[in-house]
Amino acid sequence: ELKVEQNPLFLSMQEGKNYTIYCNYSTTSDRLYWYRQDPGKSLESLFVLLSNGAVKQEGRLMASLDTKARLSTLHITAAVHDLSATYFCAGGAGNMLTFGGGTRLMVKP
Amino acid sequence: GAVVSQHPSWVICKSGTSVKIECRSLDFQATTMFWYRQFPKQSLMLMATSNEGSKATYEQGVEKDKFLINHASLTLSTLTVTSAHPEDSSFYICSARLSYEQYFGPGTRLTVT
């Protein structure tokens, strides 16, 4: 059974700073996803990582995947207030997704 | 493309009544849809996998007689919460699978009074 753990669960950071969210998973996963969720809203897809060494970037967010370490990271560069949200990683196996516990990010001016 | 809708977006019902939530893939066909439940400040928990033309597969601990799922067409899955109780109050999110992606609906907030 695939288990996914994220840390930290809560992150308060100042605008302009960099930080990384970590996502560990327990067994082989076909692919790794990152999502953003704003309060009261559903999930917005950010990245899908399909292979070892995959790196994807969009704006101030960059995601990477190391399948040997069973680790994915979401790196935030020069954070801005608009990035405040909850971020989830999810491991894909077969049809299904298993979600991490989420990282609630607050970016302060 | 790949848009999923849910209806209603929010619903308030009384204890003991049933509520139906619809999930539609608007611009693609989905043989597989998923239903998740999310409690405040928690992650998404998969409730069941909905397969077009066959019975849903429920996750452990989810009562199939309470949460009825029907996937009657390639674009529509419904979740009916029967005899709802206050502890069923939650945010219900569906998704539809297309290739290796799941596309999420906007969610339905259910409040049972």
Side-chain angles (χ1 to χ4, degrees):
Chain A
E1 179 189 347
L2 176 62
K3 293 186 179 178
V4 179
E5 286 189 4
Q6 274 179 251
N7 70 84
L9 298 181
F10 180 76
L11 177 56
S12 178
M13 54 191 299
Q14 292 215 299
E15 279 192 330
K17 299 290 187 184
N18 305 333
Y19 210 86
T20 301
I21 300 171
Y22 297 89
C23 177
N24 292 91
Y25 54 96
S26 60
T27 65
T28 302
S29 176
D30 299 336
R31 52 211 180 275
L32 200 291
Y33 302 80
W34 285 95
Y35 297 93
R36 169 181 171 145
Q37 187 178 36
D38 291 296
K41 305 288 187 182
S42 187
L43 300 184
E44 173 191 351
S45 179
L46 295 174
F47 303 107
V48 181
L49 303 168
L50 300 177
S51 60
N52 187 43
V55 177
K56 290 194 175 179
Q57 182 163 6
E58 181 74 35
R60 300 175 188 274
L61 301 178
M62 183 174 71
S64 65
L65 178 62
D66 180 342
T67 57
K68 293 180 182 178
R70 294 179 184 160
L71 170 68
S72 180
T73 60
L74 180 67
H75 187 73
I76 303 154
T77 301
V80 293
H81 179 69
D82 286 351
L83 290 179
S84 297
T86 299
Y87 293 85
F88 291 97
C89 65
N95 267 343
M96 295 170 51
L97 294 181
T98 301
F99 283 85
T103 296
R104 189 172 164 210
L105 173 65
M106 286 184 60
V107 182
K108 298 180 178 179
Chain B
V3 178
V4 175
S5 71
Q6 272 183 252
H7 178 81
S9 55
W10 59 271
V11 57
I12 301 173
C13 71
K14 292 189 175 179
S15 255
T17 62
S18 295
V19 173
K20 181 187 282 188
I21 304 170
E22 293 185 348
C23 176
R24 293 181 188 272
S25 54
L26 297 185
D27 49 3
F28 66 101
Q29 294 183 330
T31 54
T32 306
M33 292 184 173
F34 303 88
W35 287 96
Y36 296 86
R37 180 166 53 182
Q38 185 180 32
F39 292 108
K41 298 195 185 334
Q42 294 188 22
S43 187
L44 278 74
M45 296 300 296
L46 179 65
M47 298 175 67
T49 303
S50 171
N51 303 296
E52 188 268 336
S54 64
K55 289 183 180 180
T57 304
Y58 290 82
E59 294 300 300
Q60 196 169 12
V62 178
E63 299 174 60
K64 60 183 178 183
D65 294 331
K66 179 170 182 63
F67 298 99
L68 301 179
I69 291 171
N70 186 3
H71 194 154
S73 78
L74 287 171
T75 59
L76 173 64
S77 176
T78 60
L79 168 68
T80 302
V81 182
T82 62
S83 186
H85 290 286
E87 57 264 31
D88 298 323
S89 298
S90 188
F91 193 44
Y92 291 86
I93 305 175
C94 73
S95 70
R97 190 175 74 91
L98 179 62
S99 183
Y100 54 78
E101 285 264 27
Q102 285 189 26
Y103 294 91
F104 288 85
T108 296
R109 187 161 303 282
L110 169 64
T111 302
V112 184
T113 60

